[in-house]
């Protein structure tokens, strides 16, 4: 956790957001990174996502089972989703969502939006060309040499 906090401090000094994360496997830090949203002009460049990408590259896999993530702040919904998709087994965090909200990093609106029916959300979510899109799913289902994830 101290390394995640160090990376967060370093990020602030370098113009990035105040967040850092590390991924550990078998007691060894596999990857670490900080938030680079403003540096990279990438709204997905949160510390956890950056760290997951580095860990997957290093280990040569998209499956981080057996790993633990230490993040300087409770993960936002996007990062939490990425952590689950990567199959990371445990999350430790420093600051809470409330602590982040107190410095104007509020994720609550996303959690609230997810609880709403689609027709009541701020950003419209509308189905389009489902029949055509289903063709791709049929191709996937029929593929015999796919790598499942």
């Amino acid at each position: 956790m101290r390394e995640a906090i160090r990376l967060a401090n370093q990020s602030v000094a370098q113009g990035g957001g105040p967040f850092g994360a590390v991924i550990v496997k078998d007691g060894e830090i596999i990857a670490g990174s900080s938030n680079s949203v403003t540096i990279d002009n990438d709204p997905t460049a949160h510390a956890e996502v950056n760290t997951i990408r580095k860990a997957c590259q290093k280990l040569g896999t998209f499956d981080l089972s057996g790993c633990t993530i230490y993040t300087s702040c409770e993960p936002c919904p996007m990062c939490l989703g990425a952590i689950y998709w990567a199959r990371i087994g445990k999350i430790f965090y420093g600051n809470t969502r409330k602590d982040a909200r107190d410095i104007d990093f509020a994720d609550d609106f996303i959690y609230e939006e997810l609880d709403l029916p689609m027709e009541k959300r701020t950003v419209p979510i509308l189905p389009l060309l489902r029949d055509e899109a289903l063709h791709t799913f049929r191709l996937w289902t029929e593929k015999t040499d796919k790598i499942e994830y």
Side-chain angles (χ1 to χ4, degrees):
M1 181 59 78
R2 287 189 178 96
E3 179 62 7
I5 293 168
R6 186 192 71 74
L7 288 167
N9 291 335
Q10 180 180 24
S11 181
V12 171
Q14 295 173 345
F19 305 97
V22 296
I23 292 176
V24 172
K25 184 169 186 169
D26 300 326
E28 176 189 342
I29 293 177
I30 300 302
S33 193
S34 59
N35 178 292
S36 60
V37 169
T38 57
I39 293 168
D40 295 338
N41 292 318
D42 179 352
T44 69
H46 290 199
E48 297 91 339
V49 172
N50 287 343
T51 304
I52 288 168
R53 289 174 179 155
K54 286 183 177 183
C56 289
Q57 284 293 116
K58 181 170 183 177
L59 296 176
T61 182
F62 55 83
D63 184 345
L64 298 178
S65 296
C67 292
T68 299
I69 190 165
Y70 295 81
T71 179
S72 65
C73 187
E74 185 177 350
C76 75
M78 176 184 70
C79 292
L80 191 57
I83 290 165
Y84 275 89
W85 277 114
R87 298 185 180 109
I88 294 172
K90 191 177 286 185
I91 305 165
F92 288 98
Y93 65 92
N95 294 309
T96 66
R97 286 174 21 198
K98 182 187 179 313
D99 297 330
R101 184 177 60 240
D102 290 345
I103 62 165
D104 297 325
F105 284 92
D107 303 335
D108 291 339
F109 77 97
I110 299 172
Y111 286 103
E112 291 165 7
E113 283 281 307
L114 292 173
D115 282 339
L116 293 174
M118 281 201 240
E119 65 275 4
K120 293 193 177 192
R121 293 183 186 174
T122 305
V123 176
I125 303 174
L126 307 165
L128 183 64
L129 300 176
R130 180 172 179 251
D131 289 338
E132 290 182 38
L134 280 171
H135 174 73
T136 309
F137 279 13
R138 281 191 286 281
L139 290 174
W140 173 258
T141 302
E142 294 165 2
K143 188 171 175 63
T144 59
D145 62 343
K146 63 187 167 216
I147 299 172
E148 300 209 22
Y149 59 97

